[in-house]
Amino acid sequence: MKHPIPIIALLLLLSSCTKQIEFDGEESDPMPVMVSYVEADSAFHVKMSLSRFFLSSGNFKYVNDASFRAEVNGVSSGMTFRRVGEGYYLSDMSLRAGDTMTLHVSVPGHGDVTAGCRLPEVPVVTDVKATPKYAIDSEYWESYDYRYPPYTYTDVDFSFVLHEPAGRDNYYMLQAFVVDSATGERERVVLQVDDDVIYDVEVSEDIIDLGSGVDYSSGWQVLFSDDRIGGQRHTIKGTVQSVSFLSTGTVVLQICSVSRDTYLYLATLKAQQYSDGGITFIEEPVQIHTNVEGGIGILGAISPKYEELITISVQPFDYDEK
């Protein structure tokens, strides 16, 4: 190594220049935060909390004394909410696809917040197909007693035809789950959509410019708009990845129509996560979309369609081979 002494001296000089800089700006007051996803034909939760200054430490403060008033299709609905956890409230009514709702929430000491949504129509889907790829997780057997059954894991390739309604903008979200036949428990799994039309970033002009490097085609949630497929039937193909379980389970694909606000909120949230919160010297922070007046957050609207792709059983295992 050449010139070790100057290099060490430089490191010592840099370390000695470290200085703690105190924030000299104006600290923002806490704002009410509402997060809720209204799913068609289901009671829904509303999470209420207060925002926190970005340099503050400690946990977020939940709002446990909020009061609610809801208007459905322009008429006072009589909908009530009961608190079921720290800052969590559950509605006593559900909405249908096509319904609109305006939700008013009073937060003592912080004023009122208001948000509105319209539940989109349930997506029309046909020709659903699925093909599994079975495998036994060999690593399981290297670390566990052979007397216990092995995991089965597989990727599941799927395809379906989406019938895109013409004359309006539409937004979609895909999720996948494995439902264990023995326990009924539902586990969310990662999926990947391969579609050069939807995700052709060279030609697509989406409703917002989220920058490059953000992958909306894979993860727990896959997001896309009808920017390139509006008013047409379009075949969508993808893979549910690394499904694993100990007993018979059913792989379920959830195909959702979502409101524009829901799409923008989830898309900007993912972009913000990709940007490391935007706290760098070379990029602007991503502004997370909100549709809450008087506060921040999201009142989202989701109309899902559930498709059972395939039921998979744990493969018989020949213990004599071990």
Side-chain angles (χ1 to χ4, degrees), residues 175-192:
Q175 297 186 113
F177 305 89
V178 175
V179 181
D180 191 293
S181 300
T183 65
E185 294 181 354
R186 188 174 78 165
E187 179 182 0
R188 192 166 61 163
V189 289
V190 172
L191 67 161
Q192 168 79 43

Side-chain angles (χ1 to χ4, degrees), residues 117-151:
C117 68
R118 178 189 179 278
L119 274 75
E121 301 300 326
V122 177
V124 178
V125 173
T126 58
D127 299 326
V128 180
K129 300 176 183 178
T131 305
K133 301 174 182 178
Y134 291 100
I136 291 294
D137 187 349
S138 59
E139 293 182 2
Y140 176 91
W141 287 102
E142 295 173 1
S143 58
Y144 288 84
D145 194 308
Y146 298 152
R147 293 172 297 176
Y148 295 97
Y151 282 107

Side-chain angles (χ1 to χ4, degrees), residues 18 58 62 81 84 113 165 170 193 196 207 240 250 255 274 307 313:
T18 302
Y62 295 108
F81 294 79
V84 293
V113 296
N170 300 285
V193 169
D196 292 336
I207 55 177
V240 181
T250 300
I255 308 163
Y274 266 71
E307 290 288 346
S313 298

Side-chain angles (χ1 to χ4, degrees), residues 99-126:
D99 284 346
T100 61
M101 180 179 71
T102 302
L103 186 61
H104 308 271
V105 185
S106 179
V107 180
H110 298 276
D112 298 340
V113 296
T114 302
C117 68
R118 178 189 179 278
L119 274 75
E121 301 300 326
V122 177
V124 178
V125 173
T126 58

Side-chain angles (χ1 to χ4, degrees), residues 131-137 151-157 178 189-190 239-245 249 251 310-313 315:
T131 305
K133 301 174 182 178
Y134 291 100
I136 291 294
D137 187 349
Y151 282 107
T152 287
Y153 78 90
T154 184
D155 289 350
V156 177
D157 294 332
V178 175
V189 289
V190 172
T239 302
V240 181
Q241 299 178 337
S242 299
V243 178
S244 63
F245 39 84
V251 182
I310 195 166
T311 298
I312 303 173
S313 298
Q315 301 232 81

Side-chain angles (χ1 to χ4, degrees), residues 12-310:
L12 290 173
L13 177 62
L14 291 175
S15 63
S16 66
C17 291
T18 302
K19 180 180 179 181
Q20 184 173 354
I21 301 175
E22 295 186 3
F23 178 76
D24 196 27
E26 183 177 344
E27 182 172 344
S28 57
D29 294 328
M31 298 178 63
V33 180
M34 175 200 299
V35 176
S36 178
Y37 298 101
V38 182
E39 185 173 309
D41 301 317
S42 297
F44 59 93
H45 288 88
V46 181
K47 180 181 178 181
M48 296 299 303
S49 61
L50 297 177
S51 66
R52 188 183 67 191
F53 184 58
F54 76 101
L55 291 179
S56 300
S57 59
N59 298 323
F60 285 94
K61 183 178 179 180
Y62 295 108
V63 177
N64 293 319
D65 53 355
S67 56
F68 297 80
R69 178 170 57 88
E71 299 163 4
V72 177
N73 298 324
V75 179
S76 180
S77 65
M79 184 184 300
T80 62
F81 294 79
R82 62 183 178 90
R83 189 166 68 86
V84 293
E86 284 291 302
Y88 277 90
Y89 300 83
L90 179 64
S91 71
D92 67 343
M93 296 173 59
S94 61
L95 302 181
R96 296 174 298 179
D99 284 346
T100 61
M101 180 179 71
T102 302
L103 186 61
H104 308 271
V105 185
S106 179
V107 180
H110 298 276
D112 298 340
V113 296
T114 302
C117 68
R118 178 189 179 278
L119 274 75
E121 301 300 326
V122 177
V124 178
V125 173
T126 58
D127 299 326
V128 180
K129 300 176 183 178
T131 305
K133 301 174 182 178
Y134 291 100
I136 291 294
D137 187 349
S138 59
E139 293 182 2
Y140 176 91
W141 287 102
E142 295 173 1
S143 58
Y144 288 84
D145 194 308
Y146 298 152
R147 293 172 297 176
Y148 295 97
Y151 282 107
T152 287
Y153 78 90
T154 184
D155 289 350
V156 177
D157 294 332
F158 65 85
S159 66
F160 62 87
V161 176
L162 177 65
H163 296 245
E164 244 289 306
R168 65 171 186 262
D169 295 331
N170 300 285
Y171 309 95
Y172 299 96
M173 176 181 69
L174 303 182
Q175 297 186 113
F177 305 89
V178 175
V179 181
D180 191 293
S181 300
T183 65
E185 294 181 354
R186 188 174 78 165
E187 179 182 0
R188 192 166 61 163
V189 289
V190 172
L191 67 161
Q192 168 79 43
V193 169
D194 301 312
D195 195 304
D196 292 336
V197 175
I198 293 175
Y199 297 108
D200 187 349
V201 296
E202 298 299 325
V203 298
S204 179
E205 296 180 358
D206 211 342
I207 55 177
I208 49 174
D209 180 11
L210 296 173
S212 60
V214 184
D215 181 10
Y216 297 100
S217 66
S218 65
W220 302 114
Q221 298 169 330
V222 168
L223 299 171
F224 63 95
S225 71
D226 67 348
D227 184 53
R228 302 292 299 171
I229 59 174
Q232 303 178 31
R233 295 186 181 185
H234 184 70
T235 300
I236 295 176
K237 298 179 180 180
T239 302
V240 181
Q241 299 178 337
S242 299
V243 178
S244 63
F245 39 84
L246 282 167
S247 63
T248 300
T250 300
V251 182
V252 177
L253 183 66
Q254 186 189 47
I255 308 163
C256 303
S257 294
V258 300
S259 66
R260 179 180 184 275
D261 284 320
T262 305
Y263 174 84
L264 287 175
Y265 176 80
L266 293 174
T268 52
L269 184 63
K270 190 166 188 177
Q272 193 262 1
Q273 293 168 346
Y274 266 71
S275 70
D276 243 0
I279 307 176
T280 71
F281 294 108
I282 58 174
E283 65 180 48
E284 292 185 20
V286 176
Q287 298 296 317
I288 298 177
H289 179 77
T290 178
N291 66 344
V292 177
E293 298 179 9
I296 54 177
I298 182 67
L299 179 62
I302 300 173
S303 295
K305 181 177 179 59
Y306 294 90
E307 290 288 346
E308 293 187 1
L309 295 181
I310 195 166

